[in-house]
Amino acid sequence: MELVSIGKFAKMVGVTTTTLRRMHQSGDFIPHHVTKGGTRYYAMEQLKEFSNAPETEKLVVGYCRVSTPAQKDDLQTQVENVKSYMYAKGYKFEIITDVGSGINYKKKGLRQLVNKINNHEVSTVVILYKDRLIRFGYELLEYLCEINGVSIEIIDNTEQSKEQELTDDLIQIITVFANRLYGQRSKKTKRLIDEVKKNAESGKDKASAY
């Protein structure tokens, strides 16, 4: 009897190793042999058995994000709104929260969400507003969901981001490009960023005057 590693078997059946481990834990699909150290091995004869195994239930994930820790109350309100929507839909769900800029792709929660999508653990992603998922590059994440059979549900398509969030994101973009052009410690970089911040504050003062 030929035994293969979990990685090789995963490729044969077209799932991830995470899915196979989860199916083992749930009892839906058991490896032929597990070593004392916990290494899983599968028999070639199990290929046909896998096609008849019950498909693990996928979750709906509500993703909520704010830009700064000062927006903690806004985050809680966002979470409650998303929960209310999913309760009304009768979804079995979990919530992932993030605190960070909409142009930051390295946020812990966003990475967790992407990993779940890639591991075929998610059926639907629910967000309150489109820009809560990501500020720029939304179409890329949308395509990632599409190729993994995941739908995105946006509760409110009309809401716009707060002006302060847009300003903060703009400053981050300019900072990145200025660092690349002039260097992080360059006086030009500091002057450019200070000027952008000054203009942003000036614009808010003018707006509040009307």
Side-chain angles (χ1 to χ4, degrees), residues 4-195:
V4 296
S5 67
I6 186 173
K8 187 173 181 180
F9 191 80
K11 289 181 180 179
M12 288 177 175
V13 296
V15 300
T16 65
T17 55
T18 300
T19 297
L20 287 176
R21 292 189 184 98
R22 190 172 65 251
M23 293 180 76
H24 180 196
Q25 291 169 356
S26 66
D28 291 329
F29 191 74
I30 310 298
H32 185 275
H33 176 67
V34 181
T35 67
K36 290 182 179 179
T39 303
R40 299 168 174 85
Y41 290 96
Y42 296 82
M44 295 299 290
E45 288 80 359
Q46 288 184 282
L47 286 171
K48 184 176 180 180
E49 180 186 342
F50 182 86
S51 63
N52 297 321
E55 187 174 341
T56 55
E57 185 177 1
K58 295 182 179 181
L59 283 174
V60 175
V61 174
Y63 179 77
C64 304
R65 178 189 67 81
V66 292
S67 291
T68 65
Q71 296 173 296
K72 183 171 66 174
D73 290 343
D74 290 344
L75 180 60
Q76 186 58 38
T77 299
Q78 192 181 145
V79 168
E80 292 304 319
N81 286 334
V82 170
K83 279 185 175 180
S84 295
Y85 173 87
M86 293 193 291
Y87 280 133
K89 288 275 191 174
Y91 290 152
K92 178 182 179 182
F93 65 86
E94 68 176 61
I95 296 285
I96 294 177
T97 61
D98 250 343
V99 177
S101 167
I103 63 172
N104 177 9
Y105 291 84
K106 296 182 180 180
K107 295 186 294 293
K108 181 180 178 181
L110 182 61
R111 288 187 168 188
Q112 182 184 353
L113 176 63
V114 169
N115 285 335
K116 284 181 176 294
I117 292 170
N118 278 333
N119 290 333
H120 306 288
E121 299 174 27
V122 181
S123 63
T124 306
V125 175
V126 176
I127 49 179
L128 188 56
Y129 311 126
K130 183 177 178 180
D131 65 4
R132 294 305 85 193
L133 188 57
I134 200 75
R135 176 80 67 198
F136 304 110
Y138 174 85
E139 290 75 14
L140 184 60
L141 284 179
E142 186 178 42
Y143 178 67
L144 175 66
C145 288
E146 181 183 332
I147 62 177
N148 283 284
V150 178
S151 61
I152 300 177
E153 293 184 11
I154 304 172
I155 299 173
D156 190 336
N157 285 286
T158 62
E159 182 74 12
Q160 299 294 319
S161 290
K162 293 182 178 179
E163 183 180 346
Q164 183 59 48
E165 282 198 11
L166 290 169
T167 300
D168 292 341
D169 287 342
L170 177 61
I171 290 172
Q172 284 200 30
I173 292 171
I174 292 174
T175 301
V176 169
F177 280 100
N179 286 340
R180 290 181 179 179
L181 284 172
Y182 307 121
Q184 189 172 356
R185 298 182 180 179
S186 168
K187 291 182 179 179
K188 288 184 177 180
T189 298
K190 187 177 184 305
R191 277 201 306 270
L192 180 59
I193 295 171
D194 287 345
E195 189 65 27

